[in-house]
Amino acid sequence: MDELKKIEFWENHYLNEIEFMLKQDINKMLDGLKSKDKIKDDWIEAFNKAGKTRQNSDFARGAERIYYWLFNQFGTPNSAPIGADMFFETYNAFVHIDIKTAKIDNPSDYKGKIPLGANQTSYKLPSSNFEVNLPTKYKLDDKSEKICLTYFLNIIYDYNLELENIEIKAIILICAPNGLLRDVYKNNIISAGKTGHKGKGFRYEYKNCPYFKLLEDKPKRYRLIYVDTKNQEKILKKLGLNE
């Protein structure tokens, strides 16, 4: 197996593992994400005073705590200051897992794409001006190294101000290609991020190539973990995914 195909093999391997972890007890995950509701009266006033951007980041911070809990046996946490919300070392890889939240009325942050920060990806094109800070591989010493793998949980939600209710509509798990795969995917999967073409990071347009190109059975680079059963067809259409 050549090196690039081997990278995709392990990207898909850990994507399957994370998907299994989340789906095997999906009610545990959903109950954790809903745990905020039982003390809502103590935080909703401050939440409503915040702007939309601040609300989104506050909701993401709360969700991160739940995933820290769910992933506590995934691997050995690493304390590197540059990296994802969750950063683990396994026997053959360093795995980044970031939580991304998006309001359902803001499709630019979720419809077949996801914004990646400079500290969340190793996918750097020589011709681009996007800042990227993760290595393609981590060097442990002069003789050994481990691949850098990057995953994202995109939580799409709706906030009803009148009812003061945050409702999760969908959760998508996504694997962004390692930077060594840049000659495979090229610039077809990237577009300007929130700060433009010279910003820190970019939008990963996984809809443009939603599968592992080098693997024979072409498994998807994203997995639909959860969709709200109410208006499911409408939500899937909003997501822009062929499910």
Side-chain angles (χ1 to χ4, degrees), residues 82-206:
I82 302 300
D85 297 325
M86 292 173 286
F87 183 27
F88 303 98
E89 181 180 4
T90 70
Y91 71 97
N92 69 339
F94 281 93
V95 181
H96 296 263
I97 306 174
D98 264 296
I99 310 301
K100 297 282 188 177
T101 54
K103 289 186 177 180
I104 200 162
D105 61 359
N106 186 22
S108 64
D109 278 349
Y110 69 82
K111 195 168 185 177
K113 67 187 80 170
I114 189 167
L116 308 187
N119 295 340
Q120 298 172 336
T121 181
S122 65
Y123 197 87
K124 173 68 175 176
L125 288 172
S127 60
S128 77
N129 294 316
F130 300 122
E131 183 179 335
V132 171
N133 294 332
L134 296 188
T136 55
K137 292 183 179 180
Y138 286 92
K139 295 181 180 179
L140 301 177
D141 51 48
D142 292 338
K143 297 181 179 179
S144 61
E145 57 188 11
K146 291 184 178 181
I147 195 71
C148 172
L149 304 177
T150 52
Y151 300 89
F152 303 87
L153 276 162
N154 200 9
I155 304 174
I156 295 95
Y157 69 99
D158 188 25
Y159 180 53
N160 187 314
L161 180 60
E162 185 177 344
L163 298 177
E164 296 185 329
N165 180 51
I166 298 174
E167 191 173 48
I168 295 172
K169 297 298 184 181
I171 300 173
I172 309 168
L173 172 65
I174 304 155
C175 175
N178 178 278
L180 292 173
L181 295 165
R182 60 182 177 270
D183 289 334
V184 176
Y185 294 93
K186 302 183 179 179
N187 64 353
N188 298 327
I189 60 168
I190 67 173
S191 64
K194 294 183 177 181
T195 55
H197 284 279
K198 295 184 179 181
K200 297 182 178 181
F202 53 86
R203 280 187 170 91
Y204 168 37
E205 302 260 358
Y206 62 91

Side-chain angles (χ1 to χ4, degrees), residues 204-222:
Y204 168 37
E205 302 260 358
Y206 62 91
K207 65 183 179 184
N208 293 343
C209 188
Y211 53 85
F212 291 93
K213 291 188 75 170
L214 303 180
L215 299 185
E216 292 179 6
D217 53 349
K218 298 292 189 291
K220 290 179 179 178
R221 277 191 166 271
Y222 73 89

Side-chain angles (χ1 to χ4, degrees), residues 17-29:
E17 186 173 327
I18 296 168
E19 178 187 22
F20 177 78
M21 287 177 62
L22 296 175
K23 283 187 173 180
Q24 70 172 339
D25 196 353
I26 196 164
N27 289 329
K28 182 178 180 180
M29 177 185 69

